Amino acid sequence: MYFGKADVNTFERGSSREFLLSNGKGGYAFSTVIGANTRNEHGLLVVSGEKSCVPTVYVSKVEETLFARNKKYQLSTNQYKDTVYPDGYRYIQEYEEDPLPTTLFVIYNIMLKKTVFMPKGLPCTVIKYELLTSQDRLQLEIRPLCAHREIGLTCDNVSFEADIAKQVLSVSGNGCQSHIYATRGEWTYKPLMFENLMYTRSESSINGKNMENLWSPGVLSFEIGEGEAVYVAISSEPMQLDESKLINMEAETIKWVKNKTKRAPTQNVLIASELIKSASNCIKELEDGGATAISGYPSLREFSRDAFISIPGLAKAYGDPIIGFKVLRTWLARAKECGYIMPSEMDGMNKKPKIAAADCGLWFIYAFSKLMDQAGNISAMESWWDDLKRLVDKYIEGIPELDLVCDNDGLLDIKTRNPERHWMNGVVDSKPVVERRGKLVEINALWYFVLREMERYCDFMEDENAKKYGDLADRVAESFPSVFWKKEGYLKDWVDGNESDDSIRCNQILAVSLPISPLDPERGRSVVETCWRELYTTYGLRTLDPHDDKYKGRSEGRQDQKQKARFRGMAWPWLLGQFISAFVKFNPDKKNIVQYFIKPFRAHLRRGCIGGIAENFDGSMPYLPHGDVVSILSVGEILRVIYEDLADL
């Protein structure tokens, strides 16, 4: 991805584009391409702490000053309450990620190249400065700004201390230590407080503040000549580093990043390769050899549903289902802790699984089925089989913890209005944003798919339960259309006795997008046509028909109004993925049209977090992005479509 002068020549343009790096272990570097932090989740080195899963911002950023021909040039950019200072973005000629983020500063005939990378598995961020052209030797000063606080907070009342030993600057404060090493230069202890740095794009501020004071311990000064390079490494742990090790780290990181995108297809190669890099930042390897998935940036939550929906696409993109199976193993172990009830998320503070949503166990089977199809070796089923049966049988027996029963008609019935039981879980003033209860259309579509898959797996495993699952699936197939079908040609969103929600909502798409559908082809085609006509937008399916009185298509106004918009009209890219699969199923002769559903993301990849897809978008013009700037749901589903539905185009 390349950005020229016109893309970064104003603060607004440059600060609207963000880059993201990760080390595969939960550590990351996240900022704007011009180096100005605009969120309290931004940081040059962010690593998960020992006490909780909540990441800690160790070093927020570095200030860079170049001295040439008796003049001082400040290359950094910061936003304060009333001003932007310094305005180093003026010296940026280009920004490129190929394969590592690089910024080229140009001052007359001086060209200084800055590269940032995170070595795999290490709590470390490295900055490389290369002087490409200069008639004279120059001096560069680097001043780190330390935060030592959890994301979502701001640095308040933290007492810092610094120590310089063997060319390593160590900063202590708030129970954390930062260590900064350089291959050249001298440290000078010059403590300075940078006050009232402003974060205008923060969406998860815990203490409600959008300004911060950051402490700087001093300055690293070094000379650099044309053709020379200097590395600066920032770590949360003491490390033995030298120039040769850092050069090797850089080479290994480049190799690691390139390997991530080697599976990009010939069609949609640009979007696929960028999305694969973004997706890799959402996969976290665990110490026990397993893996888990982060829902997105900057939320950094662990939601099982998000993982299960996105993993099939990620595994397809990687060309190997192993990473997907690792994530499923992690969540299966958590489900066992909860008596074979699949948790909906991991609490970031106490690292405990939380039981809330009724559909997570069903999405687990969906993801497992997709991975098994990709693996092409169903013999691996044996090690999973008993656990799969216990997960599914929980639904048949009923799950009191989720207020869920399996009704006599075979459909799953949720006996509560609690919005945590489904994915439309918004709450405003203690009231659900979307009233949903009883038999939910997407949960029962998933339920039918799961029962048919269990029947198929029983046949393979020669398990006598095949008839049990098959008979129940037959009952669901008979009940589903009679309960949910509207004669106008679409599906009700939920039904609870004599009450129902007859509005046109996006959840019905799952009844036709899943590989096995409880609807006949005629009704299935009608659902697709209705969703295309009433819910499709450029970046996703709307959550509500725009003609509905409750429709709110834009995330604007008060916070409660923004929360309502999420599920009363905003569009979600992950639902677009499901829509595309349904479209291809019922319109095989129009498969060439699918590329026009994907193309708009090419432009989106150049805005927000580079190479990522946002969590959701306005359902009405101008279709602005919102939520996580990189969403594993959005990225995973668009990747799945590219590799499943566009593979032969």
Side-chain angles (χ1 to χ4, degrees):
M1 191 74 73
Y2 176 87
F3 297 92
K5 188 72 173 179
D7 298 308
V8 295
N9 62 358
T10 68
F11 177 80
E12 289 71 23
R13 289 173 182 163
S15 64
S16 69
R17 294 180 165 95
E18 299 165 286
F19 75 89
L20 174 65
L21 302 172
S22 74
N23 63 2
K25 291 286 188 179
Y28 68 87
F30 183 31
S31 186
T32 65
V33 300
I34 60 175
N37 289 347
T38 59
R39 305 175 186 268
N40 52 20
E41 301 93 351
H42 279 161
L44 195 55
L45 177 64
V46 186
V47 181
S48 295
E50 295 181 1
K51 298 179 181 179
S52 74
C53 297
V54 180
T56 297
V57 181
Y58 282 80
V59 174
S60 179
K61 61 173 300 182
V62 295
E63 296 290 288
E64 299 144 331
T65 305
L66 182 68
F67 295 88
R69 301 168 192 165
N70 298 317
K71 288 187 177 182
K72 179 173 73 173
Y73 301 93
Q74 293 177 291
L75 307 182
S76 305
T77 301
N78 295 317
Q79 185 175 21
Y80 296 92
K81 184 176 181 180
D82 299 314
T83 188
V84 172
Y85 178 83
D87 54 0
Y89 66 85
R90 297 186 301 116
Y91 304 119
I92 297 176
Q93 179 162 298
E94 65 179 38
Y95 173 91
E96 186 172 18
E97 292 187 6
D98 187 24
L100 303 177
T102 61
T103 305
L104 181 65
F105 296 95
V106 176
I107 303 170
Y108 301 110
N109 63 346
I110 298 170
M111 291 186 176
L112 178 69
K113 183 180 179 182
K114 172 185 174 181
T115 303
V116 182
F117 64 93
M118 292 194 84
K120 182 181 180 181
L122 296 178
C124 177
T125 300
V126 181
I127 311 171
K128 177 185 179 183
Y129 298 95
E130 296 177 85
L131 189 56
L132 302 183
T133 62
S134 177
Q135 294 177 343
D136 308 305
R137 294 186 66 80
L138 308 178
Q139 183 180 1
L140 195 60
E141 284 188 354
I142 309 298
R143 179 182 276 277
L145 276 58
C146 300
H148 288 199
R149 47 83 178 167
E150 293 181 351
I151 62 168
L153 297 175
T154 51
C155 183
D156 293 321
N157 302 317
V158 177
S159 178
F160 290 98
E161 294 181 354
D163 178 67
I164 301 172
K166 297 181 180 179
Q167 298 301 304
V168 178
L169 173 72
S170 297
V171 178
S172 302
N174 201 26
C176 305
Q177 274 199 331
S178 301
H179 306 275
I180 307 170
Y181 167 84
T183 54
R184 184 186 304 174
E186 296 290 334
W187 284 104
T188 303
Y189 182 68
K190 290 183 179 179
L192 183 63
M193 185 67 74
F194 284 66
E195 298 181 341
N196 297 322
L197 289 153
M198 194 166 188
Y199 304 136
T200 57
R201 297 179 186 270
S202 293
E203 295 195 12
S204 61
S205 179
I206 296 173
N207 57 10
K209 296 182 178 180
N210 65 352
M211 287 194 294
E212 180 169 45
N213 301 332
L214 296 172
W215 187 75
S216 175
V219 175
L220 171 70
S221 301
F222 57 84
E223 280 195 354
I224 186 170
E226 183 175 291
E228 296 177 354
V230 176
Y231 292 83
V232 177
I234 305 167
S235 176
S236 62
E237 299 175 0
M239 299 178 66
Q240 297 294 322
L241 298 172
D242 56 35
E243 188 169 17
S244 62
K245 285 185 179 180
L246 288 166
I247 291 173
N248 288 335
M249 282 182 179
E250 181 183 14
E252 288 298 316
T253 303
I254 291 173
K255 182 179 178 181
W256 177 43
V257 172
K258 285 185 174 180
N259 282 339
K260 295 176 184 178
T261 58
K262 65 182 180 182
R263 275 273 299 164
T266 53
Q267 290 286 340
N268 297 288
V269 62
L270 175 61
I271 185 172
S273 61
E274 292 297 331
L275 291 179
I276 292 170
K277 285 193 289 186
S278 290
S280 67
N281 290 324
C282 295
I283 299 298
K284 179 181 177 181
E285 297 179 10
L286 303 177
E287 296 299 329
D288 61 2
T292 188
I294 297 168
S295 60
Y297 291 83
S299 70
L300 297 163
R301 303 285 294 276
E302 277 190 67
F303 294 124
S304 61
R305 182 193 298 112
D306 294 29
F308 302 153
I309 293 174
S310 58
I311 277 299
L314 271 59
K316 279 277 191 181
Y318 289 161
D320 189 343
I322 289 179
I323 186 63
F325 282 123
K326 284 184 176 182
V327 173
L328 294 194
R329 283 286 187 195
T330 297
W331 279 104
L332 181 58
R334 293 166 177 173
K336 289 180 181 180
E337 291 179 26
C338 301
Y340 282 91
I341 303 172
M342 183 60 67
S344 55
E345 66 177 292
M346 290 295 291
D347 189 303
M349 296 302 295
N350 59 29
K351 302 184 181 181
K352 297 293 184 182
K354 177 183 177 182
I355 295 174
D359 57 342
C360 296
L362 305 177
W363 280 115
F364 178 91
I365 304 296
Y366 162 84
F368 180 83
S369 172
K370 287 281 188 178
L371 294 178
M372 288 299 294
D373 289 346
Q374 182 183 350
N377 181 13
I378 203 168
S379 61
M381 173 71 68
E382 187 171 347
S383 64
W384 295 81
W385 184 232
D386 287 340
D387 292 324
L388 294 180
K389 287 193 295 183
R390 293 187 69 173
L391 276 173
V392 175
D393 288 350
K394 273 286 186 181
Y395 283 90
I396 297 175
E397 298 161 6
I399 307 176
E401 294 87 343
L402 294 172
D403 307 295
L404 182 142
V405 299
C406 185
D407 205 353
N408 293 331
D409 60 4
L411 299 177
L412 297 179
D413 195 345
I414 297 176
K415 302 295 188 178
T416 181
R417 299 169 186 262
N418 186 349
E420 287 191 326
R421 297 294 178 259
H422 51 83
W423 83 278
M424 290 185 156
N425 55 5
V427 176
V428 171
D429 296 331
S430 302
K431 295 181 180 179
V433 170
V434 180
E435 175 86 18
R436 304 186 81 209
R437 64 184 188 276
K439 297 166 183 176
L440 277 55
V441 65
E442 81 279 10
I443 287 181
N444 281 289
L446 276 166
W447 180 227
Y448 178 72
F449 168 78
V450 166
L451 290 171
R452 287 300 186 204
E453 284 296 88
M454 291 300 291
E455 181 185 25
R456 177 169 73 98
Y457 292 149
C458 279
D459 288 339
F460 176 82
M461 298 295 295
E462 298 181 352
D463 190 302
E464 61 185 11
N465 286 295
K467 187 176 188 312
K468 177 181 75 172
Y469 296 123
D471 288 350
L472 186 53
D474 290 342
R475 235 187 304 162
V476 173
E478 181 179 352
S479 303
F480 190 93
S482 64
V483 169
F484 291 106
W485 183 250
K486 286 279 293 180
K487 63 180 181 180
E488 290 81 2
Y490 66 96
L491 297 171
K492 302 172 185 177
D493 193 54
W494 58 263
V495 177
D496 187 16
N498 294 325
E499 295 184 87
S500 65
D501 182 356
D502 296 355
S503 57
I504 299 175
R505 286 194 175 275
C506 56
N507 301 300
Q508 63 183 302
I509 195 65
L510 291 173
V512 286
S513 64
L514 294 170
I516 306 172
S517 171
L519 294 178
D520 60 70
E522 183 178 354
R523 285 173 171 165
R525 179 180 295 277
S526 180
V527 168
V528 174
E529 291 295 326
T530 299
C531 289
W532 193 9
R533 183 178 64 252
E534 306 296 345
L535 301 179
Y536 169 75
T537 71
T538 302
Y539 297 110
L541 287 194
R542 296 185 182 98
T543 43
L544 183 62
D545 173 11
H547 303 102
D548 194 287
D549 291 341
K550 293 183 179 179
Y551 176 77
K552 184 172 178 55
R554 297 190 188 94
S555 180
E556 58 189 9
R558 301 190 311 267
Q559 191 60 39
D560 62 324
Q561 296 302 309
K562 293 179 180 179
Q563 180 72 330
K564 289 179 181 179
R566 283 170 60 85
F567 301 117
R568 292 188 186 176
M570 290 183 70
W572 295 68
W574 81 268
L575 291 165
L576 179 64
Q578 294 294 316
F579 168 76
I580 290 173
S581 293
F583 180 89
V584 170
K585 183 189 297 186
F586 290 96
N587 297 278
D589 57 327
K590 296 181 180 178
K591 201 169 182 180
N592 62 310
I593 298 297
V594 174
Q595 62 181 315
Y596 296 104
F597 296 139
I598 296 294
K599 277 185 175 181
F601 290 106
R602 293 183 182 178
H604 175 63
L605 295 183
R606 296 177 55 82
R607 305 291 296 183
C609 192
I610 298 168
I613 299 178
E615 182 180 7
N616 46 46
F617 292 76
D618 290 335
S620 300
M621 288 288 286
Y623 303 132
L624 297 178
H626 299 280
D628 279 336
V629 292
V630 175
S631 167
I632 194 172
L633 266 177
S634 302
V635 170
E637 267 297 272
I638 298 305
L639 278 172
R640 184 187 61 78
V641 165
I642 290 173
Y643 284 94
E644 283 188 2
D645 299 309
L646 295 180
D648 56 353
L649 285 183

